[in-house]
Amino acid sequence: MRLAMVGFGHEANTFAPSAATLAAWDRAGILEGEAIRQRYERSESILAGYFAYAAEDPAAEVVPLVFSWITPTGASTAEAFEHLTGLMVARLRDQGPWDGVLLPQHGAAVADGYPDADGEFLRRVRDAVGPDVAIGVTLDLHANVSRQLVDHADVVTVYQTNPHVDAREQGLACARLLGRTIRGEIRPVTALAELPLAAGILRMGTSQEPMLRLLAGAREHERRTGVLSVSLVEGFPYADVAEMGMSVIAIADGDAALAADVARSVAADTWEHRAGFVGAAPGTDEAMRQAGAADGGPVVVLDMGDNVGGGSPGDSTHLLHAARRLGVTGVAQCVYDPAVALSCAAAGVGARVELAVGGKVDDRHGSPFPIRGEVIAVTDGRFEDPSATHGGARVFDLGRSAGVRTDDGFLLALHSRPEGTWSRLQFSTLGIEPADVPIIIAKGVHAPRAAFEPIASQLIWADTPGSTSADLTAFDFHHRRRPMYPFEPDARFDPESVR
């Protein structure tokens, strides 16, 4: 059984300031062949799950062809999308024939000319391999799932945790179902329910309501005879495309009516709890007041407006300015600022520096934060983290980086490449021990929890301004479905739309 593995991961925030150009994809890394295995086999990612299937099934060979993953940003340019998909389809054609194809996608990609970029890629893959080759795809929980994607795949599995700690598990599940399909043991049929519901990012944690009870219900349906897989998908609300919104994917063994019944039931339950997907958080100043008044630490303040994992730039300074203005001390934060990071690295450990940090990508994420202080560490920004991280990431490359301790008590981890605050090593490799810091500002909403919740005395979500603001009404949508809750409170879900 010969299985091709090919794909790309991109969560596109159409409100973000920077596009995913071909040069940006090149910097992120377009890996081919065994380089993919070397980077991902020991991780907890989707790809590791695919490799694990080959290890457990002696008849299966997983052949890595091309893979690239880019930090969430704006839409891909047409040039980048055509180059990536062209390369991947060419490798599929040149190195076939195949019994199956495994696609480690994100599911919320957007490209110029292709608002449903993942679905368009699936269409091209299907055209390349033909109707008889089985295709399996694994998606992020924040995928905006399209009919086109589902129609061109035989098996679709989706993360069911946020923070995403089941990426490997879902990749393995997809590969196992694909193997059974190829052997003729099962005949998967899929139903998709598309809900006119945009979930607020604050309410997307899977250990909290309403997701906790809804996912439990999905697992109950999964235990029904003939049901192969059930996925409740949160969607990605910062993509202004028609596919944006929550959805349910149900797969049954040869029984389209059963798949539709399951998808319809889970979707109806989700719709009944739609008010639970609207949440609020304290603003910038109030969040820092709460953090400063807390007993014990570290307190982790989640910077929602600068959620790098949702497409924000990583250089927001709103919370830093608030802390200084309010007299809150002992604050640590990662900041994407390549010019400052390189300047501090060049100055070297022990050097005194006077700089303005962050707030430079655009005018939505704060003004530069002036500092005076000492460089306490310099690294190349590369490290491996074998502990729990969002999405199963293990290998990190944040570019030339420096740790700085300011004279007024801030601890800054300055990086040359944008990254969400997903690993404690982002601080500790730069001389800042997170467990000893009173207050940590983390770029993200749920993603940082996998790494930081085990040491946190308290989590505080801060509704800061930015490209991933918690207030969805702050964004000017042109292409989303209408009516859609909560934008139009009288929106309705039609169960008959499930098929």
Side-chain angles (χ1 to χ4, degrees), residues 284-305:
T284 303
D285 283 14
E286 179 56 27
M288 290 311 302
R289 285 193 190 96
Q290 291 181 20
D295 292 328
V299 175
V300 177
V301 180
L302 294 137
D303 187 351
M304 299 175 67

Side-chain angles (χ1 to χ4, degrees), residues 214-236:
L214 292 170
L215 287 167
R219 301 289 77 80
E220 286 293 323
H221 281 288
E222 219 165 34
R223 286 188 276 273
R224 292 171 62 178
T225 301
V227 176
L228 300 173
S229 176
V230 182
S231 299
L232 175 57
V233 193
E234 292 180 331
F236 183 62

Side-chain angles (χ1 to χ4, degrees), residues 395-474:
V395 178
F396 291 81
D397 184 354
L398 282 71
R400 196 72 169 152
S401 300
V404 173
R405 181 189 296 110
T406 73
D407 294 345
D408 55 349
F410 291 88
L411 293 162
L412 302 177
L414 307 172
H415 303 300
S416 297
R417 293 184 178 178
E419 183 65 89
T421 316
W422 292 0
S423 168
R424 297 201 294 270
L425 294 181
Q426 290 168 249
F427 290 105
S428 59
T429 56
L430 292 174
I432 304 166
E433 182 48 57
D436 298 334
V437 175
I439 300 170
I440 298 167
I441 297 173
K443 302 294 188 178
V445 181
H446 297 290
R449 292 171 57 193
F452 291 89
E453 199 162 22
I455 66 167
S457 64
Q458 184 179 351
L459 298 175
I460 299 173
W461 280 266
D463 186 4
T464 51
S467 300
T468 51
S469 167
D471 181 9
L472 294 179
T473 65

Side-chain angles (χ1 to χ4, degrees), residues 208-498:
Q208 303 163 319
E209 299 296 355
M211 283 297 291
L212 184 62
R213 73 179 69 185
L214 292 170
L215 287 167
R219 301 289 77 80
E220 286 293 323
H221 281 288
E222 219 165 34
R223 286 188 276 273
R224 292 171 62 178
T225 301
V227 176
L228 300 173
S229 176
V230 182
S231 299
L232 175 57
V233 193
E234 292 180 331
F236 183 62
Y238 304 107
D240 186 12
V241 295
E243 296 76 19
M244 186 271 282
M246 294 191 72
S247 60
V248 178
I249 301 169
I251 307 175
D253 186 6
D255 191 338
L258 175 60
D261 178 68
V262 171
R264 189 178 296 117
S265 178
V266 176
D269 286 347
T270 303
W271 184 249
E272 287 299 311
H273 290 86
R274 60 191 178 278
F277 286 100
V278 180
T284 303
D285 283 14
E286 179 56 27
M288 290 311 302
R289 285 193 190 96
Q290 291 181 20
D295 292 328
V299 175
V300 177
V301 180
L302 294 137
D303 187 351
M304 299 175 67
D306 196 25
N307 174 13
V308 181
S312 289
D315 81 331
S316 175
T317 58
H318 289 299
L319 288 166
L320 291 174
H321 282 293
R324 179 173 282 167
R325 186 169 59 249
L326 297 169
V328 177
T329 59
V331 177
Q333 178 180 308
C334 295
V335 184
Y336 165 64
D337 192 328
V340 168
L342 291 173
S343 175
C344 290
V349 175
R352 295 283 304 170
V353 292
E354 185 171 350
L355 302 157
V357 174
K360 296 166 186 168
V361 171
D362 61 17
D363 59 359
R364 300 175 69 181
H365 298 86
S367 59
F369 184 67
I371 63 167
R372 292 176 181 168
E374 177 185 349
V375 179
I376 57 174
V378 173
T379 75
D380 62 5
R382 297 174 184 168
F383 59 86
E384 288 194 31
D385 188 345
S387 63
T389 62
H390 182 74
R394 181 183 179 109
V395 178
F396 291 81
D397 184 354
L398 282 71
R400 196 72 169 152
S401 300
V404 173
R405 181 189 296 110
T406 73
D407 294 345
D408 55 349
F410 291 88
L411 293 162
L412 302 177
L414 307 172
H415 303 300
S416 297
R417 293 184 178 178
E419 183 65 89
T421 316
W422 292 0
S423 168
R424 297 201 294 270
L425 294 181
Q426 290 168 249
F427 290 105
S428 59
T429 56
L430 292 174
I432 304 166
E433 182 48 57
D436 298 334
V437 175
I439 300 170
I440 298 167
I441 297 173
K443 302 294 188 178
V445 181
H446 297 290
R449 292 171 57 193
F452 291 89
E453 199 162 22
I455 66 167
S457 64
Q458 184 179 351
L459 298 175
I460 299 173
W461 280 266
D463 186 4
T464 51
S467 300
T468 51
S469 167
D471 181 9
L472 294 179
T473 65
F475 301 97
D476 190 10
F477 288 89
H478 296 282
H479 306 292
R480 67 169 175 83
R481 285 172 286 165
R482 297 172 190 269
M484 172 175 264
Y485 188 88
F487 305 106
E488 291 82 37
D490 59 348
R492 299 188 177 210
F493 167 60
D494 179 12
E496 297 307 312
S497 66
V498 179

Side-chain angles (χ1 to χ4, degrees), residues 4 7 10 37 59 93 122 129 154-155 169 206 238 248 251 256 283 288 336 373 393 429 443 462 478:
H10 185 204
R37 190 188 305 275
R93 293 186 188 276
L122 263 288
V129 300
D154 295 278
V155 173
E169 174 187 338
T206 54
Y238 304 107
V248 178
I251 307 175
M288 290 311 302
Y336 165 64
T429 56
K443 302 294 188 178
H478 296 282

